[in-house]
Amino acid sequence: MVMDPLLQLYVTLSALIFKFVTVCQDGECRQLSFPAHYMYGNRRLMKHVIETIKVVDLDLCELQCYHQPNCASINFKVIPKSKGLHECELNNATHRSNDNELMNKDGYVYKGAENACDRAGCENGGICQSGFTDKGYQCVCLPGFTSAHCEKDVDECLQGTHSCSAYAVCSNTNGSYNCRCKANHTGDGRNCTWSGCPEGWKVHNYLCYYVTGEASSILKDAQEKCKKMSATLPIIKSDSANNFILMLERVWVWLGMERKNGRMVWFDNTPAELSEGALYNAWNSGEPNNNEGNEDCAVLDFDKKKVE
């Protein structure tokens, strides 16, 4: 690690004056304290070493801990006849929460910092780093999780940050997501290949459409009929798809859309209203209006050629 000599001098001098030392790097500041009563001779914290480096003395070993975000304590050992370079081990924990792992070891000096992570928890595998933010710590979340303590799942499907194929269905899971190729496509979900439509189905832009000729008075019934055919109600995101369905010459068709949290969304969880970020819509004038809280679905009206 290459360090600015002026920064090194500032931190070293500050350590002599203040109980807490603040180090700023890449726009992020960290404040740590190494109390004198957390220093033990001939002791070494075991099983928590994350990095071993060579330094000229104990003070520089401590300084390296400030610059390793996961470091919370150090083990230092003087190595005779080493031309002035000695062993510095950076640990990701302290003796306070791992007292049984602070072992007798001749020649070592152990020094621990005040560690807010001893009393704070990061969920879902998040890593707690001491000395950051006003709380005295921060959580670094694993991919798929977010928030202050990594307790919230990231919905990659809703945010569009997944790697599913355009011809796949993205399903959110806790901390991740699954990709499943749409009907009449084969592959692993991230790469889907067109395999053609079944007999009697109509094709448009590599999607298969089937008109049952049966009427369903409620959305749930229509959904169940599609589900039995391993299909779903149509999701329209272009004039091309809208016009293709209109050419089927029906009175109206149910759409794969429902109301969630007061807003209309497609069954793939993407927004269906322009005000919510929809890239395409064919709503009739004044729609969606929710009709005093009684409308949770939508149809394509073939006479008006609009969604209601």
Side-chain angles (χ1 to χ4, degrees), residues 21 23 45 94 135 201 250 272 280 303:
V21 177
V23 173
L45 186 67
T94 70
K135 302 189 299 290
W201 291 60
R250 291 294 186 273
Y280 172 83
D303 181 39

Side-chain angles (χ1 to χ4, degrees), residues 11-193:
V11 174
T12 304
L13 291 178
S14 295
L16 299 176
I17 301 171
F18 302 108
K19 179 181 178 181
F20 289 94
V21 177
T22 301
V23 173
C24 296
Q25 187 172 341
D26 298 328
E28 188 173 44
C29 293
R30 187 184 193 195
Q31 187 179 73
L32 283 180
S33 169
F34 283 84
H37 57 283
Y38 284 0
M39 183 174 176
Y40 299 92
N42 295 319
R43 305 291 288 277
R44 182 188 186 193
L45 186 67
M46 309 295 289
K47 300 182 180 180
H48 296 281
V49 176
I50 55 175
E51 187 175 349
T52 301
I53 54 181
K54 300 295 184 183
V55 297
V56 298
D57 56 30
L58 178 62
D59 287 340
L60 285 179
C61 183
E62 179 181 323
L63 179 60
Q64 296 302 315
C65 191
Y66 290 96
H67 289 279
Q68 163 49 263
N70 296 324
C71 181
S73 67
I74 59 174
N75 301 317
F76 177 77
K77 181 183 181 182
V78 174
I79 302 177
K81 299 179 182 180
S82 62
K83 297 181 180 180
L85 292 178
H86 308 290
E87 185 176 281
C88 173
E89 295 177 340
L90 307 181
N91 305 313
N92 63 359
T94 70
H95 65 290
R96 297 193 65 189
S97 55
N98 302 277
D99 187 60
N100 62 326
E101 292 168 345
L102 186 62
M103 313 295 291
N104 293 324
K105 199 72 173 178
D106 290 344
Y108 276 88
V109 174
Y110 166 81
K111 199 171 184 181
E114 289 282 3
N115 185 15
C117 292
D118 288 338
R119 59 183 182 275
C122 301
E123 300 181 24
N124 296 306
I127 298 174
C128 185
Q129 296 178 335
S130 184
F132 294 94
T133 76
D134 294 339
K135 302 189 299 290
Y137 69 92
Q138 66 182 8
C139 291
V140 178
C141 304
L142 292 176
F145 295 99
T146 188
S147 79
H149 295 92
C150 307
E151 70 273 18
K152 294 184 179 179
D153 170 63
V154 174
D155 191 335
E156 295 87 353
C157 301
L158 181 60
Q159 294 185 1
T161 56
H162 59 82
S163 58
C164 297
S165 166
Y167 302 107
V169 176
C170 179
S171 301
N172 187 58
T173 62
N174 190 41
S176 187
Y177 59 92
N178 293 322
C179 303
R180 176 178 54 83
C181 291
K182 294 179 179 179
N184 309 302
H185 291 77
T186 59
D188 60 5
R190 286 171 169 76
N191 297 285
C192 298
T193 304

